[in-house]
């Protein structure tokens, strides 16, 4: 299947809201061997919507569209699609029942605007939105398919997984077998890793290729992808070349699944029976947020202290006053005292501490914006690193968080 994604919304064009739907759709259709021809963001304008559909249908068999299906007057996608595909607006009985069920779960009442969501073009097949009031609409014309979905990411993601992907695979069957393997590698810059794997890559058959997906904090995701009509041979070759890659890289491969670093860290902590705490200044609890976003993290994560002020560093984490005066809050001694203090306070064998200047202000010539000291504790071992991260405040926080998680993971694996 060749397809394109059209995303509708004035709020997306002016940067008020960030489009996440197209990335999610592309990631989840890639395993089927489907990659979008292009992604296009357009405004809530009927003529633009029709023009975008015409351009897409001239190039692809399927258009996946999100947005413009709300109950308010500025959401015009439904009426525009009725004009484009023909038919009249009719009330869909199953959609009425679905809206009632969804609204009831929220302890709300159906108002006229919400009730109007049950009006759909007679030219479409309705796919009930089990987690929202805007129905998903499936249109077909001259052998082409358009699927219109809500702009709310949770609704699109949920219904793609529950029904839309299955319907797409039924409508566009393929005899091509797809296989993916992911490897998380640490300790190599991208260019060094490419040099090491040069011979390995040259040994790959044409239908198997290796992609490098570098991440912050010196770790890289390697994705091995194979596509073939011979499923058995593909499975055997993928197993062979996966084993060869593991032999080539050895302990540098820390995970053979496409997992975030915090999930990998959690698995290692559980396997070793260790607990974790964090002491965060410049990251403001972001490391704790990422760790607790992993289901089951209560098995190893005790808690965090967001020691943003020197008073909290001193009185809660017991960072010596002399350390703060002599070296400052953004310093190696302070980071060491923080990681030690939170381990003692919460009774953990492992800990991560961060202290730095996230910006945009507060930097000096000696300690510019982006300066972060990170300390990790792994049993009786404490390791520290001074980093200078570039970018805006949110990027510094995210990079420092990733670095802290990765530092502790490397420390655990080294032991």
């Amino acid at each position: 299947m060749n397809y394109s994604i059209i995303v509708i919304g004035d709020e997306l064009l002016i940067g008020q809201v960030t489009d996440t739907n197209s990335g999610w759709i592309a990631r989840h259709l890639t395993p089927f061997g489907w990659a979008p021809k292009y992604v296009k963001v357009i405004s809530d304008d009927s003529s633009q919507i029709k023009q975008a559909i015409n351009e897409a249908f001239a190039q692809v068999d399927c258009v996946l569209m999100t947005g413009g299906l709300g109950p308010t007057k500025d959401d015009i996608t439904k009426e525009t699609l009725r004009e484009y595909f023909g038919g009249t607006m009719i009330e869909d009985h199953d959609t009425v029942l679905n809206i009632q069920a969804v609204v009831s779960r929220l302890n709300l009442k159906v108002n006229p605007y919400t009730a109007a969501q049950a009006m759909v073009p007679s030219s479409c097949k309705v796919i009930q939105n089990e987690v929202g009031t805007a129905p998903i609409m499936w249109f077909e014309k001259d052998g082409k398919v358009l699927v219109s979905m809500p702009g709310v990411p949770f609704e699109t993601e949920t219904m793609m997984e529950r029904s839309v992907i299955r319907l797409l695979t039924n409508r566009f069957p393929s005899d091509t077998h797809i296989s993916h393997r992911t490897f998380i590698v640490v300790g190599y810059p991208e260019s060094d890793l490419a040099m090491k794997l040069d011979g390995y890559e040259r040994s790959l058959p044409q239908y198997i290729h290796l992609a490098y997906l570098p991440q912050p904090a010196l770790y890289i995701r390697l994705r091995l992808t194979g596509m073939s009509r011979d499923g058995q041979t593909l499975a055997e070759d993928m197993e062979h070349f996966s084993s060869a890659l593991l032999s080539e890289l050895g302990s540098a491969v820390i995970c053979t699944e496409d997992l975030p670093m915090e999930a990998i860290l959690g698995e290692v902590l559980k396997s070793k029976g260790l607990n974790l705490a964090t002491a965060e200044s410049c990251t403001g609890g972001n490391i704790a947020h990422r760790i607790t976003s992993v289901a089951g993290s209560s098995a190893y994560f005790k808690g965090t202290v967001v020691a943003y002020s020197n008073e909290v560093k001193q009185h809660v984490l017991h960072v010596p006053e002399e350390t703060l005066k002599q070296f400052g809050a953004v310093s190696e001694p302070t980071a060491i005292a923080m990681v030690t203090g939170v381990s003692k306070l919460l009774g953990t064998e492992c800990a991560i501490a961060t202290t730095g200047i996230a910006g945009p202000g507060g930097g000096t010539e000696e300690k510019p914006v982006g300066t972060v000291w990170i300390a990790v504790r792994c049993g009786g071992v404490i390791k520290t690193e001074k980093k200078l991260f570039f970018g805006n405040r949110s990027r510094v926080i995210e990079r420092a968080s990733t670095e802290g998680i990765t530092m502790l993971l490397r420390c655990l694996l080294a032991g």
Side-chain angles (χ1 to χ4, degrees):
M1 180 185 78
N2 57 351
Y3 75 100
S4 291
I5 301 173
I6 298 175
V7 184
I8 302 172
D10 293 335
E11 69 279 8
L12 300 167
L13 287 172
I14 64 174
Q16 188 176 24
V17 175
T18 300
D19 166 42
T20 59
N21 282 329
S22 59
W24 190 96
I25 291 170
R27 285 194 302 274
H28 286 74
L29 293 186
T30 294
F32 298 94
W34 300 336
K37 181 81 171 178
Y38 62 81
V39 176
K40 187 169 188 175
V41 181
I42 60 175
S43 66
D44 291 285
D45 178 86
S46 182
S47 62
Q48 283 197 37
I49 294 172
K50 293 175 183 177
Q51 181 181 346
I53 296 172
N54 283 331
E55 292 174 353
F57 276 167
Q59 303 178 65
V60 299
D61 299 320
C62 178
V63 173
L64 301 179
M65 178 179 286
T66 68
L69 298 180
T72 55
K73 293 179 180 179
D74 60 327
D75 290 307
I76 61 170
T77 299
K78 189 188 296 184
E79 175 59 26
T80 300
L81 293 176
R82 183 201 65 76
E83 294 174 2
Y84 187 92
F85 288 97
T88 60
M89 296 298 289
I90 61 172
E91 184 179 73
D92 183 74
H93 178 67
D94 290 338
T95 303
V96 171
L97 298 178
N98 183 73
I99 290 172
Q100 292 173 348
V102 170
V103 171
S104 176
R105 288 199 300 269
L106 298 174
N107 293 319
L108 299 174
K109 293 183 178 180
V110 178
N111 61 42
Y113 282 97
T114 305
Q117 295 279 63
M119 300 298 294
V120 299
S122 59
S123 50
C124 79
K125 170 186 175 182
V126 177
I127 303 169
Q128 296 304 330
N129 182 355
E130 300 170 8
V131 291
T133 58
I136 297 160
M137 297 175 291
W138 179 293
F139 296 88
E140 296 204 30
K141 183 177 183 180
D142 300 327
K144 308 284 186 174
V145 171
L146 184 146
V147 185
S148 176
M149 297 174 285
V152 180
F154 169 69
E155 295 180 22
T156 291
E157 293 169 12
T158 300
M159 295 315 301
M160 282 284 293
E161 289 185 323
R162 291 187 182 180
S163 56
V164 175
I165 291 177
R166 173 178 51 80
L167 292 171
L168 288 172
T169 56
N170 289 340
R171 176 63 177 76
F172 298 99
S174 173
D175 60 357
T176 300
H177 297 270
I178 313 292
S179 180
H180 295 279
R181 302 285 182 90
T182 299
F183 307 85
I184 308 296
V185 181
V186 297
Y188 284 95
E190 184 181 7
S191 58
D192 288 355
L193 184 59
M195 289 179 62
K196 182 173 180 59
L197 295 177
D198 178 64
Y200 170 82
E201 288 194 76
R202 283 190 277 108
S203 72
L204 294 173
Q206 287 187 341
Y207 55 87
I208 297 179
H209 71 272
L210 187 67
Y212 294 74
L213 306 169
Q215 307 294 315
L218 206 60
Y219 81 93
I220 296 173
R221 284 186 298 162
L222 291 177
R223 187 183 65 233
L224 194 66
T225 300
M227 298 177 63
S228 174
R229 292 184 177 181
D230 186 341
Q232 182 175 349
T233 299
L234 177 63
E236 293 172 354
D237 285 350
M238 286 293 287
E239 183 64 31
H240 169 75
F241 286 106
S242 294
S243 298
L245 185 62
L246 289 170
S247 298
E248 188 79 25
L249 295 177
S251 61
V253 177
I254 61 172
C255 186
T256 56
E257 294 182 74
D258 192 5
L259 298 174
M261 294 302 285
E262 50 267 28
I264 301 172
L265 175 61
E267 290 301 314
V268 173
L269 288 167
K270 284 193 294 185
S271 69
K272 293 179 177 288
L274 300 173
N275 290 323
L276 170 65
T278 63
E280 304 185 55
S281 184
C282 63
T283 50
N286 190 56
I287 296 175
H289 163 70
R290 285 177 53 173
I291 290 169
T292 55
S293 69
V294 179
S297 55
S298 60
Y300 50 84
F301 186 65
K302 286 290 191 72
T304 188
V305 175
V306 180
Y308 211 65
S309 70
N310 282 355
E311 289 79 11
V312 175
K313 291 181 179 72
Q314 183 179 345
H315 298 301
V316 178
L317 296 178
H318 302 293
V319 178
E321 183 178 5
E322 297 76 15
T323 297
L324 293 168
K325 287 182 177 180
Q326 182 178 353
F327 301 102
V330 183
S331 65
E332 182 179 30
T334 296
I336 292 173
M338 288 174 65
V339 82
T340 303
V342 79
S343 289
K344 292 181 179 178
L345 180 67
L346 298 182
T348 64
E349 302 89 355
C350 300
I352 305 170
T354 60
T355 180
I357 306 164
T364 65
E365 185 175 344
E366 182 182 295
K367 298 177 182 179
V369 170
T371 302
V372 180
W373 274 100
I374 304 171
V376 299
R377 184 173 185 267
C378 182
V381 177
I382 293 178
K383 293 184 179 294
T384 62
E385 287 188 16
K386 180 183 179 182
K387 296 291 183 179
L388 180 59
F389 299 116
F390 297 99
N392 58 23
R393 182 178 181 85
S394 61
R395 181 168 173 79
V396 170
I397 291 172
E398 201 59 44
R399 289 291 301 275
S401 300
T402 300
E403 187 70 40
I405 293 169
T406 306
M407 277 179 60
L408 179 58
L409 182 56
R410 291 200 301 263
C411 185
L412 287 165
L413 293 173

